[in-house]
């Protein structure tokens, strides 16, 4: 007795066979695109900051706290200052990804050759020239013959201060310059062993705050600050307002004019774009408020830097956060922001491929039926071509062959929607059987 047909609602096996290669191709393409676009940034970044008790050190801690909210571990690497930070950025073996750099520390062409980019200016770093009150300094030319600490060679101050001396007609040898770090230099000034010291730092630095309130120590007033800012584009003219240090004690007792480069965030051009976005957002949160030398929202910005600013950072400062980041968590917005081109391209690829799969599926299912027609046609051809005298030998064997074909056909598992194909095959098998019987009877 023949076996019952195996009908199913749907052939998962055939779908896997037909759609599998295309699905695998799409998965490979998606993986390749993901690796190429690389939407997920590294989870660890190294910042080169500055000396102990410096503004760079304090701000570095704030960036570490800000990025830790997004699961990014930030390692702070102390340095002497701007020049050493630049050296580290130019050295791939240093392990430094991003650093604080003072404007005027390098040239535009040199930065481009080195593959450095700026994330914008963060805050002004006034040049603080503190001196012992007994010296009565009113002009930089009066520094001739004095002992002045200009900071360690790794900072940006020595280069800047020598430039200031040169435009005042002084040679480096006219001033007895020492290069102590900020903290020991402050000790030397308070002890009277040097006449003056020079910082370039935000007012947040603890040493600046202390010296501004120390009796016997005065801050030099750059009365020609506007002229300096015109001569050197990376310098700006800022004013330390009267009483801002201590209103009750009226410190300082008058407005003090200062010249100020700006602190910038500088990175290698291969820094992951998502990390750039995080640093820019953190910069706005950390430096966007009002301060001694800035108005609300004045910093950070894309000005006052000779190093090319990353276009994404410039756009952020001009227009605010990208559209998606206003309504989505950062990581999700970053993923879609970086992957949208790939998603559209894959969509354009998947659409035509998806139209190929249904016909292939139909062909695959029907092929399980159609392949038996070849054997059925072979049987039919044999009985047509056999001479009448040999039919008795051939017909019984072909009838047995038909039974074998029918038994195998009855074992076919096929979706119900294709059952008519199976029944049609069975009727054709029966038709060939009747023909064999008819030919056998006609002989007799």
């Amino acid at each position: 007795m023949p076996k019952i047909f195996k009908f199913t609602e749907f052939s998962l096996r055939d779908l896997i066979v037909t759609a599998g290669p295309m699905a695998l191709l799409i998965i490979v393409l998606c993986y390749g695109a993901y690796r190429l676009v690389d939407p997920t940034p590294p989870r660890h970044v190294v910042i080169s900051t500055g000396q102990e008790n410096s503004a760079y050190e304090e701000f570095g801690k704030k960036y570490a706290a800000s990025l830790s909210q997004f699961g990014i571990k930030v390692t702070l690497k102390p340095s002497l200052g701007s020049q050493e930070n630049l050296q580290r950025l130019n050295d791939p073996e240093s392990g430094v990804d991003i650093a604080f750099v003072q404007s005027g520390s390098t040239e535009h062409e040199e930065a481009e050759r080195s593959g450095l980019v700026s994330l914008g200016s963060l805050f002004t770093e006034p040049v603080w020239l503190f001196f012992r009150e007994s010296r009565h300094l009113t002009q930089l030319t009066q520094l001739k013959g004095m002992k002045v600490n200009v900071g360690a060679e790794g900072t940006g101050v020595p280069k800047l201060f020598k430039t200031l001396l040169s435009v005042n007609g002084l040679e480096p040898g006219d001033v007895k310059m020492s290069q102590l770090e900020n903290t020991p230099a402050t000790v030397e000034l308070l002890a009277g062993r040097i006449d003056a010291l020079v910082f370039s730092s935000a007012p947040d630095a603890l040493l600046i705050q202390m010296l501004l309130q120390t009796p016997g120590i005065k801050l030099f007033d750059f009365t020609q600050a506007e002229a300096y800012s015109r001569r050197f584009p990376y310098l700006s003219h800022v004013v330390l307002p009267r009483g801002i240090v201590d209103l009750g004690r009226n410190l300082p007792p008058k407005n003090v004019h200062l010249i100020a480069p700006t602190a910038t965030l500088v990175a290698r051009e291969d820094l992951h774009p998502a990390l750039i976005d995080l640093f820019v957002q953190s910069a706005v949160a950390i430096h966007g408020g009002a301060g001694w030398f800035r108005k609300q929202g004045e910093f950070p910005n894309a000005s006052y830097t000779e190093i090319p600013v990353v276009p994404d950072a410039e756009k952020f400062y001009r227009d605010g956060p990208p559209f998606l980041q206003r309504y989505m968590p950062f990581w999700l917005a970053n993923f879609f922001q970086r992957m949208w081109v790939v998603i559209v391209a894959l969509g354009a690829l998947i659409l035509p491929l998806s139209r190929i799969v249904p016909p292939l599926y139909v062909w695959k299912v029907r092929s399980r039926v159609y392949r038996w027609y070849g054997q059925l046609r072979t049987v039919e051809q044999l009985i047509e071509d056999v001479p009448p005298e040999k039919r008795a030998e051939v017909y019984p064997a072909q009838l047995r062959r038909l039974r074998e074909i029918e038994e195998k056909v009855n074992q076919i598992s096929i979706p119900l929607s294709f059952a008519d194909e199976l029944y049609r095959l069975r009727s054709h098998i029966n038709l060939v059987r009747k023909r064999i019987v008819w030919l056998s009877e006609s002989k007799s």
Side-chain angles (χ1 to χ4, degrees):
M1 191 172 185
K3 295 183 180 179
I4 300 175
F5 298 135
K6 298 177 182 178
F7 292 119
T8 60
E9 293 290 337
F10 182 77
S11 178
L12 180 62
R13 184 189 67 179
D14 291 311
L15 180 63
I16 292 174
V17 170
T18 54
M22 294 184 185
L24 181 61
L25 173 63
I26 291 172
I27 291 172
V28 170
L29 290 175
C30 287
Y31 178 76
Y34 183 87
R35 291 297 299 269
L36 180 65
V37 175
D38 190 19
T40 306
R43 295 286 178 168
H44 178 244
V45 62
V46 178
I47 305 179
S48 188
T49 55
Q51 299 180 40
E52 184 182 2
N53 297 324
S54 68
Y56 287 175
E57 181 188 55
E58 293 303 314
F59 284 126
K61 294 176 182 177
K62 292 183 180 181
Y63 278 96
S66 178
L67 268 69
S68 67
Q69 301 174 26
F70 299 96
I72 305 295
K73 180 183 177 182
V74 176
T75 298
L76 304 180
K77 195 170 182 179
S79 74
L80 293 175
S82 182
Q83 288 297 325
E84 185 174 8
N85 288 347
L86 267 177
Q87 292 170 8
R88 288 175 176 177
L89 286 172
N90 287 320
D91 179 11
E93 302 300 322
S94 68
V96 170
D97 301 298
I98 193 166
F100 295 103
V101 175
Q102 190 179 83
S103 62
S105 299
T106 186
E107 300 294 334
H108 180 88
E109 294 77 11
E110 184 181 348
E112 285 190 324
R113 285 196 302 270
S114 303
L116 300 182
V117 292
S118 171
L119 275 59
S121 298
L122 308 178
F123 53 88
T124 54
E125 289 191 293
V127 176
W128 309 88
L129 176 54
F130 290 102
F131 60 95
R132 298 211 313 270
E133 190 172 13
S134 59
R135 287 300 185 176
H136 304 291
L137 285 180
T138 57
Q139 297 289 330
L140 287 183
T141 53
Q142 294 175 284
L143 289 172
K144 189 172 183 178
M146 292 188 186
K147 296 178 180 179
V148 181
N149 188 81
V150 296
E153 190 60 40
T155 69
V157 177
K159 179 181 177 182
L160 175 60
F161 189 67
K162 290 173 184 177
T163 302
L164 297 179
L165 291 179
S166 67
V167 295
N168 281 275
L170 294 176
E171 297 294 332
D174 294 335
V175 179
K176 299 175 182 177
M177 289 186 285
S178 59
Q179 293 188 310
L180 299 174
E181 294 185 21
N182 293 343
T183 300
T186 301
V187 173
E188 292 295 294
L189 178 66
L190 296 178
R193 288 188 284 269
I194 60 175
D195 300 303
L197 59 79
V198 184
F199 290 149
S200 180
S201 174
D204 309 71
L206 297 177
L207 291 177
I208 301 293
Q209 294 284 333
M210 183 196 74
L211 288 170
L212 286 171
Q213 302 181 61
T214 301
I217 301 298
K218 292 196 66 175
L219 176 63
F220 182 78
D221 188 355
F222 284 85
T223 55
Q224 299 171 305
E226 189 63 29
Y228 284 112
S229 68
R230 302 292 179 88
R231 290 283 297 271
F232 304 102
Y234 55 86
L235 295 177
S236 57
H237 173 197
V238 297
V239 177
L240 184 67
R242 173 185 175 182
I244 196 169
V245 177
D246 191 321
L247 289 169
R249 296 162 57 194
N250 192 31
L251 294 176
K254 64 174 185 176
N255 288 348
V256 180
H257 299 271
L258 301 173
I259 55 174
T262 58
T264 62
L265 263 182
V266 178
R268 295 194 183 93
E269 60 185 358
D270 60 354
L271 184 67
H272 196 285
L275 283 178
I276 290 177
D277 287 345
L278 283 177
F279 271 103
V280 170
Q281 290 188 36
S282 299
V284 171
I286 294 170
H287 307 289
W292 283 13
F293 302 107
R294 65 178 183 269
K295 298 177 182 178
Q296 180 79 26
E298 184 178 356
F299 284 93
N301 59 52
S303 305
Y304 310 114
T305 173
E306 67 279 7
I307 300 175
V309 178
V310 178
D312 287 347
E314 192 171 2
K315 187 175 186 299
F316 189 98
Y317 297 139
R318 185 180 64 248
D319 303 329
F323 177 78
L324 292 178
Q325 291 186 23
R326 299 174 190 176
Y327 304 101
M328 294 182 180
F330 175 80
W331 294 119
L332 186 60
N334 171 71
F335 178 83
F336 284 115
Q337 186 178 334
R338 292 185 53 73
M339 291 290 290
W340 72 268
V341 174
V342 175
I343 292 172
V344 171
L346 287 175
L349 175 65
I350 291 171
L351 185 60
L353 289 179
S354 64
R355 293 178 178 176
I356 296 174
V357 170
L360 285 177
Y361 171 75
V362 171
W363 173 83
K364 180 62 179 174
V365 173
R366 285 179 173 173
S367 67
R368 298 214 299 273
V369 174
Y370 290 163
R371 69 188 183 90
W372 293 105
Y373 276 100
Q375 298 192 36
L376 189 61
R377 181 59 186 156
T378 300
V379 171
E380 190 176 25
Q381 193 67 44
L382 284 172
I383 64 174
E384 292 286 348
D385 296 341
V386 68
E389 62 274 11
K390 294 186 177 180
R391 288 177 179 174
E393 303 174 10
V394 174
Y395 287 176
Q398 297 309 312
L399 286 173
R400 287 195 301 273
R401 177 61 182 150
L402 281 178
R403 282 196 299 272
E404 292 173 359
I405 292 174
E406 189 172 31
E407 286 178 0
K408 291 180 179 178
V409 166
N410 288 340
Q411 296 177 17
I412 295 175
S413 175
I414 195 167
L416 288 172
S417 56
F418 296 91
D420 59 332
E421 307 284 351
L422 195 58
Y423 281 110
R424 190 177 296 115
L425 174 59
R426 288 192 67 200
S427 66
H428 290 160
I429 293 172
N430 194 44
L431 182 64
V432 174
R433 180 184 291 110
K434 287 180 179 179
R435 181 167 178 75
I436 293 175
V437 172
W438 179 80
L439 287 172
S440 175
E441 291 176 350
S442 64
K443 173 189 174 184
S444 56

